[in-house]
Amino acid sequence: MSTPTHAGQRVSLTRFLIEAQREHGHINADLRLLIEVVARACKRISIAVGKGALGNALGSAGTENVQGETQKKLDVISNEILLEANEWGGHLAALASEEMDHPHPIPHRYPKGGYLLVFDPLDGSSNIDVNISVGTIFSVLRCPEGVTDPVESDFLQAGSRQVAAGYAVYGSSTVLVLTLGYGVYQFTLDREQGSFVLTGSNLTIPADTGEFAINMSNMRHWEPPMKRYIEELLAGRTGPRGRDFNMRWVASMVADVHRILTRGGIFIYPRDMKDPSKPGKLRLMYEANPMAMIVEQAGGAATTGLQRILDVEPGELHQRVPVFLGSRNEVERATRYHLEAAAESAGALA
Ligand code: P6P
């Protein structure tokens, strides 16, 4: 993927955003500031993550988040970086995070703006201590008209109402992927200049793929259509699909999604019976929705197995959903199997 240029000049994130505002009218000044502030925070998180054992920030923070998950020190640090970066700019009405039970208000000493920011500050952080890629995922919503002190219910908007979404993946390089609703763009952090540089425009996910991503250790807990879909992939060229498939599972959603955005694939975290009270592991507002917007903007598909993720009406801030996303034809096939199974069981009950 070559580095796009304007008359031989590399395009910085700042220039990209100014042109998105001035030439295309895709964003306003507040949204441009919001994206720049989040990108700057991701640079700081990249530095903190990149220090590894030298930064004295590996391991557990000794606390639990609202999910009941043990927080890593870098989960807490990353969350603080995003809060501090976004409080004073006047572009946000409030923030919400995987790491906080409730929305975080903008302190009264600062002006408020018209946007809501929802994020997973450090997704995949269980991989931190073993030096596997992790990332930050963020979603931007409009604050409802007339609301000056947003509460949780003001965040509960379907993913189709996002005005922007993105992620940063802290891997061999630090890459920021962004959509403003007009295609998907990739920026790579130039550590010498300290700025994100455009390295990919209008990223597109191939409609077909030979690669799937799922945690196979949960297979015995899956519902029948999920087992059917994966068993067909495993049967390879001797089975109904007539071709072999490959499997990748990083256990870091940002890394798996970035691979799929780059070369295709299907990522699945289905509902399983391991804990029937949970409809899935991944969270709708700050994992599934932003990734679904990015994937759809890149020509892919994203469903819960039964409906488009971006159509799900949230019931609570930390709600979980099953996730099927990536190459359109594979997501549609897996979803079709689930819809057929649901129709059969509904017929059986009638
Ligand atoms: P498992 C990381 O904790 C995460 O939320 C996603 O980034 C990742 O895809 C998934 O959970 C991994 O789950 O069950 O394989 O550890």
Side-chain angles (χ1 to χ4, degrees):
M1 189 181 291
S2 64
T3 302
T5 62
H6 278 248
Q9 291 176 343
R10 298 197 309 177
V11 177
S12 68
L13 174 64
T14 299
R15 176 169 180 173
F16 173 86
L17 293 172
I18 286 171
E19 291 177 351
Q21 177 189 354
R22 184 180 62 203
E23 292 183 17
H24 306 294
H26 289 168
I27 56 174
N28 60 31
D30 269 2
L31 185 53
R32 175 161 64 85
L33 173 60
L34 192 166
I35 301 296
E36 292 229 70
V37 164
V38 169
R40 202 174 306 131
C42 289
K43 278 192 276 188
R44 287 185 58 196
I45 295 170
S46 174
I47 291 165
V49 166
K51 287 179 178 172
L54 299 178
N56 191 31
L58 294 183
S60 167
T63 51
E64 274 194 359
N65 64 17
V66 64
Q67 328 287 341
E69 295 165 343
T70 302
Q71 288 178 305
K72 298 286 192 182
K73 288 178 190 169
L74 280 166
D75 281 321
V76 177
I77 291 168
S78 302
N79 195 60
E80 287 302 318
I81 287 173
L82 281 156
L83 292 182
E84 187 279 326
N86 280 284
E87 280 186 333
W88 47 267
H91 50 283
L92 289 181
L95 309 92
S97 165
E98 178 191 51
E99 301 302 333
M100 300 185 298
D101 297 13
H102 306 294
H104 180 82
I106 296 298
H108 290 305
R109 64 183 178 278
Y110 296 128
K112 292 183 182 171
Y115 293 104
L116 301 175
L117 180 66
V118 200
F119 52 83
D120 181 354
L122 202 61
D123 177 69
S125 56
S126 58
N127 292 302
I128 274 276
D129 298 351
V130 294
N131 201 28
I132 291 174
S133 300
V134 293
T136 298
I137 311 172
F138 63 92
S139 167
V140 183
L141 297 163
R142 289 186 181 82
C143 184
E145 279 297 318
V147 173
T148 52
D149 291 302
V151 294
E152 178 165 329
S153 57
D154 296 309
F155 282 81
L156 302 184
Q157 303 175 34
S160 55
R161 294 179 45 198
Q162 294 174 103
V163 295
Y167 63 79
V169 51
Y170 311 117
S172 45
S173 62
T174 287
V175 173
L176 177 73
V177 168
L178 173 69
T179 183
L180 302 166
Y182 305 89
V184 180
Y185 294 83
Q186 172 186 294
F187 304 84
T188 301
L189 181 60
D190 176 339
R191 295 188 184 282
E192 289 166 9
Q193 283 191 343
S195 60
F196 281 106
V197 175
L198 184 67
T199 50
S201 299
N202 293 311
L203 275 62
T204 305
I205 299 174
D208 292 299
T209 182
E211 202 161 67
F212 66 99
I214 192 166
N215 183 340
M216 289 295 291
S217 70
N218 297 322
M219 191 165 195
R220 67 187 185 283
H221 301 298
W222 294 340
E223 298 171 327
M226 190 70 255
K227 290 180 179 175
R228 172 190 174 194
Y229 176 73
I230 294 296
E231 284 165 353
E232 288 183 359
L233 300 186
L234 295 175
R237 67 182 67 194
T238 61
R241 301 299 305 273
R243 63 163 295 175
D244 290 339
F245 286 81
N246 197 8
M247 197 200 98
R248 288 283 182 276
W249 185 250
V250 184
S252 176
M253 185 185 198
V254 176
D256 280 314
V257 170
H258 190 66
R259 183 190 61 252
I260 288 166
L261 191 64
T262 306
R263 69 184 191 206
I266 180 171
F267 171 97
I268 305 172
Y269 212 110
R271 174 188 179 87
D272 64 45
M273 294 302 115
K274 192 161 50 173
D275 181 349
S277 67
K278 284 183 184 171
K281 174 173 186 181
L282 302 178
R283 274 64 53 143
L284 174 63
M285 298 301 295
Y286 39 80
E287 290 174 329
N289 272 344
M291 292 309 201
M293 181 179 183
I294 291 166
V295 165
E296 285 199 359
Q297 283 286 317
T303 76
T304 64
L306 297 174
Q307 71 175 114
R308 184 175 175 241
I309 284 176
L310 295 183
D311 291 339
V312 175
E313 287 296 340
E316 55 182 50
L317 184 61
H318 298 292
Q319 139 176 11
R320 299 172 190 265
V321 287
V323 175
F324 296 71
L325 62 77
S327 292
R328 174 168 292 281
N329 292 343
E330 284 306 316
V331 173
E332 288 178 352
R333 174 186 287 265
T335 303
R336 185 169 69 249
Y337 289 5
H338 282 74
L339 289 170
E340 287 170 357
E344 280 168 31
S345 57
L349 292 175

